[in-house]
Amino acid sequence: MDLEAAFRQVGKQLSAGRVSAEYHPYAELKHTWSRRQSSVSFRISDYMDSAPGDVTDAMAWYLLCKAFGKACPDGMADRYLGYARSREMWGPKKPVYVSRARSLSFRPVGSARDLGTVFDYVNSCYFGGSVRRPDLAWARESPSVRLGFYFEPLDILAANRALDSEKVPRYVLEFVVYHELLHGVLGAKGPPTRRVHHTKEFRELERRFSMYEDAEAWLTKLARKRRAEKGVPQV
Ligand SMILES: [Zn+2]
């Protein structure tokens, strides 16, 4: 069954009026919709274009329920939520994702810091060298959004470009890399609809970082400073 047919069929069961759906080449995995009177049209990330039929059905349930503010029937969305985070889905899409990820630079050597060296150091200090090196990237985005992330299905670890500076102590970047590697090692817990990333165990291990308090203070300062800068008029 194709995308639109799946959405129409679920739409009928939810009395959603006229439903249409098409793929769109968003850089991230995201979907949008617009409602007009008795019709709703969805733009679905084209990363989903090779999804098996049952995943497409589950996605239609998940998004139509969201669009109409209804609770999704138990378990109906699970197949989609699992697939959307799986290597099964992301593996073949990696080249496309990388080509669209304009905010990411996959050259680990920055202007002040080398992510490769930092990864090796953190890996040997805290993980006994047991972590396989992910793809390392610098992310150009506001530190108030995030200072790093680990995207498990693509095995990409990114640190914010703001940390690539002599003005920021190296241990701050090490802490961000440590935090993101912990995500890779521990994974998320809980059911697909309520996944918990920062579990109690995660927070305990995070505190084992040797400069934990100082690094936390720096990260808070960085995120705040950038937020304040936004309000300053450009000269
Ligand atoms: Zn985290």
Side-chain angles (χ1 to χ4, degrees):
M1 196 190 301
D2 71 7
L3 180 75
E4 188 147 88
F7 272 73
R8 281 204 189 126
Q9 201 174 76
V10 176
K12 219 180 259 173
Q13 296 186 59
L14 291 170
S15 311
R18 260 192 37 228
V19 176
S20 60
E22 60 179 10
Y23 290 115
H24 192 77
Y26 290 118
E28 301 290 331
L29 179 73
K30 76 165 190 176
H31 320 295
T32 59
W33 59 84
S34 57
R35 283 178 66 176
R36 216 174 288 155
Q37 290 160 354
S38 61
S39 70
V40 54
S41 40
F42 288 87
R43 274 185 162 185
I44 302 301
S45 164
D46 66 354
Y47 292 130
M48 297 300 295
D49 63 7
S50 329
D54 60 334
V55 171
T56 307
D57 289 345
M59 174 171 68
W61 274 103
Y62 180 72
L63 293 176
L64 273 154
C65 288
K66 267 199 153 185
F68 286 88
K70 295 183 180 179
C72 196
D74 260 0
M76 277 311 224
D78 290 3
R79 183 75 178 97
Y80 160 67
L81 294 172
Y83 182 79
R85 299 183 190 112
S86 68
R87 293 200 175 196
E88 175 195 356
M89 182 207 128
W90 283 105
K93 303 291 184 190
K94 189 164 183 172
V96 184
Y97 177 85
V98 167
S99 72
R100 289 178 185 170
R102 298 225 175 96
S103 63
L104 295 182
S105 156
F106 287 89
R107 272 193 51 228
V109 181
S111 48
R113 308 281 181 223
D114 178 355
L115 271 175
T117 310
V118 170
F119 165 79
D120 288 340
Y121 174 75
V122 172
N123 190 22
S124 78
C125 261
Y126 296 98
F127 301 97
S130 65
V131 179
R132 206 167 38 89
R133 178 169 161 159
D135 284 336
L136 301 169
W138 291 106
R140 227 183 4 259
E141 57 188 3
S142 168
S144 61
V145 177
R146 58 186 172 177
L147 287 147
F149 66 84
Y150 176 68
F151 190 37
E152 195 274 332
L154 287 183
D155 199 27
I156 292 173
L157 187 157
N160 196 294
R161 195 53 108 179
L163 304 171
D164 179 23
S165 162
E166 297 286 357
K167 291 180 188 157
V168 181
R170 200 183 119 119
Y171 66 77
V172 181
L173 176 59
E174 288 165 1
F175 178 60
V176 168
V177 169
Y178 174 61
H179 177 107
E180 300 310 334
L181 287 177
L182 271 183
H183 278 308
V185 169
L186 296 178
K189 305 281 186 287
T193 43
R194 280 190 305 274
R195 302 206 336 149
V196 182
H197 294 272
H198 298 131
T199 57
K200 196 164 164 270
E201 183 193 10
F202 184 100
R203 290 302 187 200
E204 278 167 14
L205 286 170
E206 191 183 28
R207 283 184 167 275
R208 290 198 191 161
F209 187 77
S210 63
M211 303 282 284
Y212 176 78
E213 308 283 344
D214 301 77
E216 274 285 321
W218 255 99
L219 295 180
T220 309
K221 194 166 92 178
L222 273 172
R224 225 188 266 137
K225 190 171 153 232
R226 208 39 194 253
R227 244 177 242 133
E229 274 172 9
K230 273 190 192 159
V232 178
Q234 298 290 306
V235 182

